[in-house]
Amino acid sequence: MAEAAGPAKEAGKQVARTAAKRAAPARKTTAAAAKKAVVAKKAVATKKTVPATKTVPAKKAAPARTAAPAKKAALAEKAAPVEKAAVAKKAPAAKKPASAKKTAPAKKSAPAKKAAPAKKSGPAPEAVRIPKSESHAALVRRARRINSELAEVYPYAHPELDFENPFELLVATVLSAQTTDLRVNQTTPALFAKFPTPEDMAAADPEELEQILRPTGFFRAKAKSVLGLSTAIRDNFGGEVPGRLEDLVSLPGVGRKTANVVLGNAFGVPGITVDTHFGRLVRRWKWTEQQDPEKVEAEICALFPKSDWTMLSHRVVFHGRRICHARKPACGACPIAPLCPSYGEGETDPEKARKLLKYEKGGRPGQRLKPPADYPGQPAPPMAAG
């Protein structure tokens, strides 16, 4: 029995070993299966997250399609190569008509004959229609703008009488009545060579003085005025021309206009000179309606600062002598035509108007024999050459 139990035990052990061997690979497969399950779970998690990430941009792309530029970009990115090629082909096609369109208007704009209307627009008087109820402030602005334009046109404006000192300017201004500054400038060299000072002039022979002054017209009356003012300067002012308005107008033959010319140009005292040119232009520009020179002076002085008075006078007179003539102003060649409420009173054709310009504006000599250095024109010829 013992011997029989021994082999039975051995057989049992053999069976146990066999079962253990068979169980070992089963355990391994179970572990492998567990590992595969873990990997599978991770893969599932990854798959779940991946579509999650894909769906987020997909949702964002949807609103992006609402914007035209974003929509085109999305389509360009998602489009097939064929679509991109199609777009590429369409792009140059679109560029060609674009360039064609650009050249077409260029050809149409080539007829720059539309510049011709620009000449017609030159008048522009309608832009300066003066309302009846124009305020003083508006008048001041308008007047000062014209003065600014004149300053650019005539930066060299100056008194057009030749003189070396206050006495010569005073005498020349008195002689300029009823004649041109040119004629006075051609006459005074001989006059001042013979009688250079008030004392010399006061002692002059009246008949000799008249003969010298004959070319200026009204020579007898002018000789009397020159003798009288020279005597008054010698006797009342110590041989020196006074520098005050009230003293100057006390001299024979000297009025307010002459006094302002002397004060402004010989003494540096600002003043408005209301001669025929000045009065005519300020009325054309509707700065005043006054006819009396003193009233004109008062109203114009109220429009400008005192420091502008003297140069304003020169610019206005220059413009009146060169362009804005009394009988036939050269409106078509006037640089301030767009600001002038009286545009059209004269010649408006540019070519015809240019023929009306005088002195340096018309390519001719000026009025002074000895003009300032900055004067762009030619000096006037002396009497002998005239």
Side-chain angles (χ1 to χ4, degrees), residues 46 62 77 158 164 173 188 220 244 249 258 273 354 358:
T46 306
E77 289 177 0
H158 56 266
E164 298 293 337
T173 306
T188 51
R220 291 189 178 88
R244 297 193 311 164
V249 295
T258 299
T273 302
R354 273 193 284 273
K358 294 184 178 180

Side-chain angles (χ1 to χ4, degrees), residues 47-197:
K47 287 179 181 179
K48 288 181 179 179
T49 53
V50 169
T53 53
K54 287 183 179 178
T55 53
V56 170
K59 289 180 181 178
K60 290 182 179 177
R65 289 178 184 174
T66 56
K71 191 172 184 177
K72 289 180 181 178
L75 291 173
E77 289 177 0
K78 293 182 180 179
V82 179
E83 289 179 348
K84 290 182 180 178
V87 173
K89 287 179 181 178
K90 289 181 181 178
K95 287 180 182 177
K96 288 180 181 178
S99 60
K101 287 180 182 177
K102 289 181 181 176
T103 53
K107 290 179 181 178
K108 290 180 181 178
S109 63
K113 294 178 181 178
K114 292 181 181 180
K119 292 182 180 178
K120 293 181 181 179
S121 64
E126 297 181 1
V128 235
R129 285 178 181 171
I130 311 303
K132 293 182 180 179
S133 58
E134 183 181 31
S135 67
H136 179 74
L139 172 59
V140 168
R141 286 193 298 271
R142 188 166 58 81
R144 293 186 181 184
R145 186 180 175 191
I146 290 178
N147 182 42
S148 297
E149 293 295 327
L150 291 176
E152 293 184 8
V153 177
Y154 307 106
Y156 48 84
H158 56 266
E160 294 194 88
L161 292 169
D162 286 326
F163 68 97
E164 298 293 337
N165 53 59
F167 177 65
E168 290 186 2
L169 179 58
L170 175 61
V171 172
T173 306
V174 170
L175 297 179
S176 67
Q178 305 299 319
T179 190
T180 64
D181 287 356
L182 172 61
R183 183 59 67 188
V184 173
N185 292 334
Q186 292 173 331
T187 302
T188 51
L191 175 66
F192 294 133
K194 186 77 173 178
F195 311 109
T197 66

Side-chain angles (χ1 to χ4, degrees), residues 167 195 197-205 209 226-232 234-235:
F167 177 65
F195 311 109
T197 66
E199 291 83 0
D200 295 330
M201 194 83 70
D205 177 66
L209 192 59
V226 168
L227 285 170
L229 68 84
S230 298
T231 302
R234 180 196 63 188
D235 297 344

